Amino acid sequence: MAEVARLSRELDEARARLAQIEKHGIAKVTAQRLAALEEGQQVARGQAVDAALAKSKAEAELRSLRKAITEAPGPLGWLLRRAARRLTPGA
C-alpha cells in the first residue's frame, strides 16, 4: 500500500513538472532547477564553513586544556597529568 502511495505521488510530481514545462517552457524550468541547486550548494558551503570554525575552536580549547594540565603545580597537577596519560592512547 505504501508503495502504491509513493508511486502515485511520484506520478503526480512528474505530471506537475510536465505541466510546468508545457506552460513555461523547458528553459525557465531548467533555470528554476539550477537556481534551487545553487541555493542548496550555498547552504552546504555555509555549513562546511561553520563546521571548520567549530573544529578550529575545539582544537584551540583542547590545546589550552592540555597546556593547563602540563603546567598545573603540585600534587594536583601530578594527578591531572597521570590521568591525562591514561586517557591518551599510546602514552
Side-chain angles (χ1 to χ4, degrees), residues 11-33:
L11 180 60
D12 291 341
E13 289 170 3
R15 285 181 179 156
R17 193 172 300 130
L18 282 173
Q20 201 175 30
I21 289 171
E22 289 173 354
K23 184 176 180 183
H24 301 291
I26 191 75
K28 185 172 181 176
V29 173
T30 302
Q32 289 172 344
R33 182 66 180 140

Side-chain angles (χ1 to χ4, degrees), residues 22-81:
E22 289 173 354
K23 184 176 180 183
H24 301 291
I26 191 75
K28 185 172 181 176
V29 173
T30 302
Q32 289 172 344
R33 182 66 180 140
L34 287 174
L37 289 173
E38 287 175 7
E39 182 181 340
Q41 194 175 36
Q42 288 176 350
V43 168
R45 282 189 193 127
Q47 289 173 343
V49 168
D50 290 346
L53 289 173
K55 179 183 178 191
S56 177
K57 182 179 177 184
E59 288 172 345
E61 289 175 0
L62 179 60
R63 282 190 302 272
S64 176
L65 180 59
R66 284 182 175 161
K67 182 179 178 189
I69 289 173
T70 58
E71 295 176 354
L76 183 58
W78 179 82
L79 286 172
L80 283 170
R81 287 185 290 280

